[in-house]
């Protein structure tokens, strides 16, 4: 029986900045499954922050969507800062900022605009590798 060996060093760019492996895709596209498999191979894996938070929101409040988008942004930035302080070389992140900006663009465009400006700064701190999981034909 043959054995497949994965070279995880291929997922780390040769640089001083941490590599963020970003899993993007629609609901049920396999982001969590792929992230869990990469975690089993030794990479730190972080679930989508918004999925957990959205379950705690009462959307009958007019400010709920704005709070949600700001809180997602805050928690993502805190997670990113932890990568830097813990000297993480690479990590797998479900959705990362780019996916959450897309949601914020729909719910609260003013927050999305602020978020985009912050993302530009984050791109100077990290090397993101984006993987879009497409389950269409």
């Amino acid at each position: 029986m043959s054995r497949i060996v994965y070279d995880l060093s291929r997922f780390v760019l040769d640089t001083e900045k941490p590599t963020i492996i970003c899993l993007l895709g629609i609901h049920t596209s396999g982001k969590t499954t792929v992230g869990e498999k990469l975690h089993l191979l030794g990479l730190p894996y972080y679930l989508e922050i918004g999925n957990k938070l959205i379950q705690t929101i009462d959307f009958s409040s007019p400010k709920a969507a704005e709070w949600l988008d700001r809180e997602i942004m805050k928690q993502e930035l805190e997670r990113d800062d932890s990568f830097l302080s813990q000297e993480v070389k690479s990590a797998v992140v479900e959705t990362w900022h780019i996916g959450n900006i897309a949601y914020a663009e729909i719910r609260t465009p003013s927050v999305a605009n602020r978020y985009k400006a912050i993302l530009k700064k984050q791109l100077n701190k990290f090397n993101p590798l984006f993987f879009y999981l497409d389950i269409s034909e």
Side-chain angles (χ1 to χ4, degrees):
M1 179 178 271
S2 64
R3 182 170 173 247
I4 298 173
V5 177
Y6 296 91
D7 180 7
L8 294 180
S9 66
R10 293 176 50 187
F11 288 110
V12 180
L13 299 175
D14 185 21
T15 178
E16 296 297 317
K17 299 188 285 187
T19 298
I20 305 298
I21 300 162
C22 308
L23 303 176
L24 304 171
I26 64 168
H27 183 66
T28 73
S29 64
K31 298 180 300 287
T32 301
T33 301
V34 171
E36 289 171 346
K37 298 301 180 194
L38 289 171
H39 180 67
L40 289 173
L41 295 172
L43 290 169
Y45 169 57
Y46 299 86
L47 287 166
E48 184 175 342
I49 289 172
N51 274 349
K52 193 173 11 171
L53 282 175
I54 205 163
Q55 296 172 19
T56 68
I57 300 297
D58 173 9
F59 282 102
S60 65
S61 167
K63 293 287 187 180
E66 182 177 343
W67 178 88
L68 174 66
D69 290 326
R70 289 186 188 283
E71 187 62 23
I72 290 170
M73 180 172 55
K74 176 181 159 255
Q75 288 190 26
E76 283 207 329
L77 292 170
E78 288 170 353
R79 183 196 53 221
D80 289 355
D81 286 344
S82 77
F83 293 158
L84 295 172
S85 66
Q86 296 172 19
E87 299 181 0
V88 170
K89 290 207 176 282
S90 64
V92 179
V93 176
E94 198 172 309
T95 303
W96 204 49
H97 300 284
I98 196 78
N100 291 314
I101 288 172
Y103 286 123
E105 191 71 49
I106 295 165
R107 292 187 294 246
T108 51
S110 62
V111 174
N113 288 333
R114 168 104 172 92
Y115 210 163
K116 289 177 204 174
I118 290 171
L119 176 60
K120 289 178 184 176
K121 293 178 184 174
Q122 295 304 91
L123 292 174
N124 289 323
K125 297 178 189 177
F126 299 95
N127 290 305
L129 295 175
F130 295 99
F131 293 89
Y132 178 72
L133 306 179
D134 185 356
I135 59 171
S136 65
E137 296 182 80

